[in-house]
Amino acid sequence: MHVFVTVGSTRFDALVQQVLSEPVLDVLYRRGYRTLDVQCGNSDFDASLLRRDADDHWQRAGDLETSIWRFKPSLKEDYERADLIISHAGSGTIIDVLRLKKPLIVIPNPTLLDNHQAELSDALAGLGHLRSSTVADLPQAIEGLDTSTLVPFPQFDGSRFRELLDEEMGYYDHSRETGARH
Amino acid sequence: MGVLSWLALIATLTVAAGFLRLCIMLTAPRPAKPSGRREAIETCSFAVFLGSGGHTSEALILVSALNFDRYVPRTYIISEGDTLSMQKAVELESAKAAEAPNPRYTFVVIPRARRVHQSLLTTPFTAALSLIAAVWHFTVGPLMARPPVPEVLLLNGPGTCFVLCVAAYMNKFLGLKSPKLIYIESFARVRQLSLSGKLLRPLVDRFVVQWPELVKDKRRDECRGWLV
């Protein structure tokens, strides 16, 4: 089983450092994960125990085979390959991952000034679509994750916006006569 | 009365009339019925602002839901230097080309109102530059028989979209043709409106949020669930 960690284009030192710590690596191994990829973005982390095999690319030998790198043009393949995704609270990442029906643990970055991102992950966690955790509680969150209890996220429904705009612009044939202002 | 007093009187009256016009526009109830009825085969020109990053992603998801044969021509308004948004829009257009074989779309580039980390001191100047570009595109250009004003403008943040909204509003103020303004608050906003949401809420024709908690006034705000 494969786990993928992503911080998007942000910097989230604490999450990257925590993911590479013994408690997290141990619990991942115990839960059956054998490979780990970390997309670390602009984060700083302690690379002293890692082998650097290219610019912005590191490996870590051990029971859990680990690769760390900074950026890729698209993360879609990484999401698809993963059995579990651990991510920062960016809304784009959250939507992409949930639409692929992958189990997701979200860690909002507490150092962001305007931390509205936690709003979204808390709300979606409340609806059961994902788990929300903190950097410190990540090992427990992984330990306690039961993917069978996650609620599937609805697929994209383009008709809502299409009908809204059609109706506003006077195309009544495809619109419903509902909505707050009618 | 001297010439100066007359000028002062005229200036005062102009300002007062302008203020009155603005008050009427801001307080008048929005039309119960939207634009006149259109036949299914009629087209509608469309513009969207791509505000980079998550704003662009959400805006393009919304655009992808539209009938591309109906909403033509399409104008993608982007901030100066935002090649990633341009690239994503081109990707969407080529993906949609299968269903609407003659893609008619253009890009309009507007200087940024404020760069990330830009000092608040210099912001008024860059914002003014941005506003001039927007007014050029929406007011001056169309008056000089350049491409006409789009019939609808979709906005979802951040800063620069306020400038576009103000420019479109200026047309309304002057009694010129102006686009219908539709603002869609980000899916990420659950309990609190974004700054652009708060700024644009009194100005737009449709103010749409994606989480019911954000509906404060049912006559102004609407929520139809998740749109992305």
Side-chain angles (χ1 to χ4, degrees):
Chain A
M1 289 214 296
H2 177 64
V3 53
F4 180 54
V5 178
T6 174
V7 306
S9 56
T10 67
R11 172 177 178 169
F12 198 167
D13 299 354
L15 177 60
V16 174
Q17 203 61 59
Q18 173 74 322
V19 164
L20 298 173
S21 73
E22 288 302 331
V24 170
L25 296 173
D26 284 350
V27 69
L28 284 173
Y29 187 81
R30 260 187 289 125
R31 295 295 308 259
Y33 297 95
R34 291 297 175 264
T35 52
L36 163 68
D37 265 25
V38 183
Q39 183 267 317
C40 67
N42 289 310
S43 311
D44 266 345
F45 54 94
D46 177 14
S48 58
L49 292 170
L50 307 171
R51 195 182 80 230
R52 181 161 178 266
D53 53 15
D55 270 356
D56 295 336
H57 197 238
W58 298 264
Q59 300 274 348
R60 185 185 188 283
D63 296 331
L64 196 71
E65 204 182 294
T66 305
S67 249
I68 303 131
W69 38 272
R70 293 207 181 275
F71 296 105
K72 259 188 207 174
S74 165
L75 299 178
K76 193 157 185 282
E77 282 175 21
D78 295 279
Y79 297 151
E80 276 166 353
R81 221 185 112 210
D83 301 289
L84 167 65
I85 291 156
I86 298 170
S87 143
H88 77 126
S91 61
T93 309
I94 292 178
I95 296 173
D96 288 350
V97 170
L98 292 182
R99 289 262 150 84
L100 289 169
K101 303 184 174 78
K102 297 288 181 175
L104 175 63
I105 298 177
V106 167
I107 320 284
N109 189 342
T111 65
L112 291 179
L113 283 180
D114 175 20
N115 199 12
H116 76 266
Q117 289 191 329
E119 269 180 34
L120 180 65
S121 50
D122 287 350
L124 292 174
L127 295 170
H129 297 304
L130 52 80
R131 294 285 177 266
S132 181
S133 181
T134 59
V135 171
D137 292 339
L138 182 58
Q140 293 86 313
I142 298 167
E143 183 81 66
L145 179 69
D146 178 359
T147 54
S148 68
T149 61
L150 290 171
V151 178
F153 190 64
Q155 284 308 303
F156 172 55
D157 179 4
S159 69
R160 288 178 178 171
F161 179 65
R162 188 167 56 241
E163 280 167 10
L164 188 153
L165 193 64
D166 279 352
E167 175 191 300
E168 180 65 31
M169 299 319 290
Y171 297 104
Y172 291 108
D173 46 341
H174 290 296
S175 56
R176 293 171 303 187
E177 294 291 345
T178 55
R181 310 218 339 264
H182 298 285
Chain B
M1 248 180 0
V3 177
L4 273 181
S5 334
W6 276 111
L7 281 178
L9 183 66
I10 290 167
T12 316
L13 284 175
T14 313
V15 170
F19 185 69
L20 199 66
R21 169 103 177 94
L22 203 64
C23 286
I24 292 168
M25 281 164 70
L26 282 170
T27 52
R30 281 173 236 190
K33 267 216 155 59
S35 344
R37 194 191 172 94
R38 284 173 207 247
E39 294 308 318
I41 50 154
E42 280 181 75
T43 60
C44 173
S45 56
F46 172 88
V48 56
F49 175 62
L50 303 179
S52 86
H55 299 282
T56 294
S57 311
E58 283 200 29
L60 289 178
I61 294 176
L62 295 172
V63 175
S64 78
L66 299 178
N67 177 345
F68 270 34
D69 278 332
R70 174 171 286 176
Y71 292 96
V72 281
R74 290 173 296 281
T75 308
Y76 295 96
I77 305 170
I78 57 169
S79 305
E80 203 180 2
D82 186 9
T83 48
L84 201 63
S85 289
M86 187 182 257
Q87 194 185 317
K88 285 182 169 173
V90 171
E91 275 168 28
L92 172 67
E93 284 288 343
S94 23
K96 281 283 230 175
E99 80 183 53
N102 277 319
R104 278 163 57 205
Y105 66 98
T106 45
F107 287 98
V108 167
V109 180
I110 302 276
R112 279 174 206 269
R114 178 169 183 260
R115 289 181 178 78
V116 183
H117 304 309
Q118 184 184 332
S119 119
L120 282 174
L121 220 68
T122 57
T123 299
F125 299 102
T126 47
L129 206 64
S130 182
L131 180 62
I132 290 168
V135 168
W136 176 262
H137 183 70
F138 282 132
T139 316
V140 184
L143 282 177
M144 297 182 354
R146 296 273 305 271
V149 187
E151 290 171 85
V152 56
L153 172 61
L154 175 65
L155 302 165
N156 75 338
T160 306
C161 92
F162 178 64
V163 168
L164 292 172
C165 184
V166 169
Y169 219 71
M170 188 116 104
N171 281 22
K172 221 181 250 192
F173 180 78
L174 296 172
L176 300 169
K177 243 183 134 219
S178 73
K180 270 263 161 64
L181 298 171
I182 299 189
Y183 182 85
I184 311 282
E185 184 58 287
S186 165
F187 174 64
R189 296 296 179 157
V190 180
R191 285 194 299 265
Q192 254 204 343
L193 293 179
S194 63
L195 180 60
S196 27
K198 284 175 194 153
L199 286 172
L200 266 66
R201 188 168 169 264
L203 303 176
V204 295
D205 297 294
R206 294 286 281 261
F207 188 80
V208 186
V209 297
Q210 302 193 51
W211 290 85
E213 259 186 88
L214 291 178
V215 176
K216 298 285 180 279
D217 175 356
K218 281 199 169 151
R219 285 165 304 174
R220 191 165 282 249
D221 316 325
E222 59 183 307
C223 177
R224 299 191 174 193
W226 299 342
L227 302 177
V228 297

